[in-house]
Amino acid sequence: MIQTDIIIIGAGPCGLFTVFEAGLLKLKCHLIDSLPQPGGQCSEIYPKKPIYDIPGFPSILAGELVDNLMEQAAPFKPGFTLGEAAMTIDKTEEGKFIVTTVKGTKHEAPIVMIAGGLGVFEPRKPPIENIEDLEDKGIDYIIKDPEVYRGKRVVIAGGGDSALDWSIFLAEKKIANEVVLVHRSASFRGHLDSVQKVIDMAEQGAIKLITEAEVTGIHGNSHLEKVIITHQKEGEIVVETDHFIPLFGLKPSLGPIADWGLEIEKNAIKVNTLDYSTNIPGIYAIGDVNTYENKLKLILCGFHEGTLAVQSAFARIYPDKKNILKYTTVNGVQGF
Ligand SMILES: Cc1cc2nc3c(=O)[nH]c(=O)nc-3n(C[C@H](O)[C@H](O)[C@H](O)COP(=O)(O)OP(=O)(O)OC[C@H]3O[C@@H](n4cnc5c(N)ncnc54)[C@H](O)[C@@H]3O)c2cc1C
């Protein structure tokens, strides 16, 4: 049994920063994440993209932000259970929580902080027969490292920002040898600037744009070799390619947390904005996983939520102790 002060479910940016804020109050944290590495969406979906709205960083790569958050949390020696989804929660007679993962690892603490973001990541897949056979053999649902596509032929499908931005990036930086963007409609859902840029690049021949069409078939043995595109007017088009990347977004799914008796609204956990507590005393929800009036799913908002939640957690753990806010400039960072 792993014992700690706060069990944090989700090692995304908000969970990681909460370790630091809890540490300043001398509270120890243990993080659980179903992914094999910390960083949540920043590591899993867009590690090489710059973020421009982290206070004090005019621009920072998402992956770099995660590295920095890990460094900032390090003095407080957080524990990690990675690659294991938190499945169940139970209450002990002393009022503590026991969180058990899919592999049976048990964690006990008086406080649980849910920082589960979008929940368990589930990409939306196109309805193509046997698509699973070539997953990771040329078919990817997320671009983690664009270098994988250097010198390769790539077919991207989708009409949102991810599909547009990655098509532009891979073509403009001359990473991929050939970029084909397939979208089932003639209009796109992404930012107008990105749409215009894709149209301009298509006119210049840097991107091959095929609209009103869908990828309906894939072929290959040990690796993808070609895709079949069905065009609404022209019928079937065969495109030889090394990679097919459908970027249709992620299906938000709270996963097992949805069955923990928490108040849920629109696939998110309802919280009290005084301290981001849930309807179950001792359980808090911060970051993308929570919902309240005027909620913004931004990293900086999650940082604020985690900061206030640990203050409330401290008061629950030590009802007789007074906690006085101390500036880090005055007290420094006293690690464990
Ligand atoms: C392409 C893209 C660009 C973005 N750009 C920006 C931007 O410029 N600025 C900005 O502020 N925000 C941006 N965002 C949003 C930002 O990434 C999120 O707001 C942020 O990641 C939320 O952090 P989080 O810690 O709440 O959750 P997440 O980063 O989603 O992390 C949650 C973690 O919880 C884990 N988890 C969930 N359920 C369980 C479970 N049952 N057991 C174990 N682990 C579990 C998941 O595996 C995940 O690792 C962007 C998002 C995307 C997709």
Side-chain angles (χ1 to χ4, degrees):
M1 180 81 80
I2 294 164
Q3 309 264 359
T4 189
D5 294 321
I6 303 179
I7 297 166
I8 302 179
I9 298 168
C14 303
L16 290 175
F17 187 64
T18 301
V19 174
F20 176 79
E21 286 293 334
L24 293 179
L25 304 179
K26 300 268 173 274
L27 299 177
K28 213 164 182 318
C29 298
H30 188 98
L31 298 114
I32 305 174
D33 206 299
S34 48
L35 295 172
Q37 79 284 326
Q41 293 172 55
C42 292
S43 304
E44 185 66 9
I45 308 179
Y46 62 108
K48 304 279 169 157
K49 275 196 163 198
I51 308 178
Y52 300 103
D53 56 354
I54 302 298
F57 290 92
S59 165
I60 184 165
L61 293 182
E64 252 180 81
L65 175 67
V66 173
D67 292 344
N68 289 357
L69 288 166
M70 288 290 282
E71 190 185 327
Q72 200 170 15
F76 301 114
K77 300 195 170 58
F80 286 93
T81 301
L82 295 176
E84 300 182 30
M87 298 301 286
T88 58
I89 193 160
D90 298 290
K91 200 117 191 240
T92 66
E93 279 174 12
E94 302 84 60
K96 289 191 174 183
F97 296 100
I98 294 179
V99 175
T100 308
T101 69
V102 69
K103 290 189 185 160
T105 314
K106 289 188 183 294
H107 312 73
E108 189 184 56
I111 301 290
V112 172
M113 195 77 62
I114 302 175
L118 299 176
V120 183
F121 286 83
E122 272 182 60
R124 284 197 178 87
K125 300 181 184 181
I128 298 172
E129 213 183 316
N130 301 335
I131 193 160
E132 284 83 12
D133 296 349
L134 291 174
E135 283 173 0
D136 298 324
K137 295 175 190 155
I139 293 184
D140 305 310
Y141 303 108
I142 289 170
I143 297 183
K144 286 189 207 162
D145 180 4
E147 285 304 316
V148 168
Y149 309 101
R150 185 162 294 279
K152 300 283 183 347
R153 298 163 301 178
V154 172
V155 174
I156 292 178
D161 280 317
S162 277
L164 293 165
D165 290 352
W166 280 119
S167 299
I168 294 169
F169 187 87
L170 294 177
E172 197 171 44
K173 305 263 180 219
K174 300 198 175 358
I175 292 174
N177 251 3
E178 181 182 87
V179 177
V180 181
L181 174 60
V182 184
H183 181 39
R184 65 173 172 203
S185 161
S187 58
F188 289 87
R189 293 185 311 278
H191 279 100
L192 290 180
D193 289 357
S194 311
V195 176
Q196 192 53 51
K197 190 147 192 191
V198 162
I199 292 168
D200 292 347
M201 288 176 80
E203 276 169 13
Q204 292 151 13
I207 291 175
K208 188 167 180 201
L209 186 58
I210 307 178
T211 56
E212 298 178 297
E214 281 177 76
V215 174
T216 50
I218 49 167
H219 290 283
N221 292 315
S222 57
H223 198 274
L224 180 70
E225 288 163 17
K226 54 189 168 193
V227 295
I228 312 295
I229 297 170
T230 305
H231 193 278
Q232 286 168 20
K233 292 174 196 142
E234 293 164 26
E236 279 193 0
I237 308 166
V238 179
V239 175
E240 295 199 351
T241 189
D242 304 302
H243 290 274
F244 170 43
I245 314 169
L247 296 174
F248 297 158
L250 295 165
K251 252 191 288 179
S253 152
L254 263 184
I257 294 167
D259 305 324
W260 289 5
L262 295 157
E263 228 179 300
I264 308 279
E265 193 179 273
K266 290 190 206 136
N267 213 30
I269 303 168
K270 273 182 89 173
V271 287
N272 178 341
T273 48
L274 274 183
D275 57 1
Y276 303 96
S277 53
T278 67
N279 59 309
I280 302 180
I283 304 186
Y284 297 78
I286 59 159
D288 278 14
V289 80
N290 74 14
T291 184
Y292 52 87
E293 212 180 329
N294 291 335
K295 166 75 183 174
L296 286 180
K297 289 188 182 183
L298 284 177
I299 295 167
L300 80 98
C301 298
F303 287 172
H304 165 80
E305 294 163 10
T307 305
L308 290 196
V310 292
Q311 297 282 331
S312 171
F314 181 92
R316 276 193 72 81
I317 299 174
Y318 301 113
D320 301 328
K321 272 198 202 171
K322 200 163 162 41
N323 172 38
I324 300 158
L325 177 72
K326 293 178 193 120
Y327 291 134
T328 54
T329 40
V330 176
N331 268 49
V333 172
Q334 316 285 334
F336 296 145

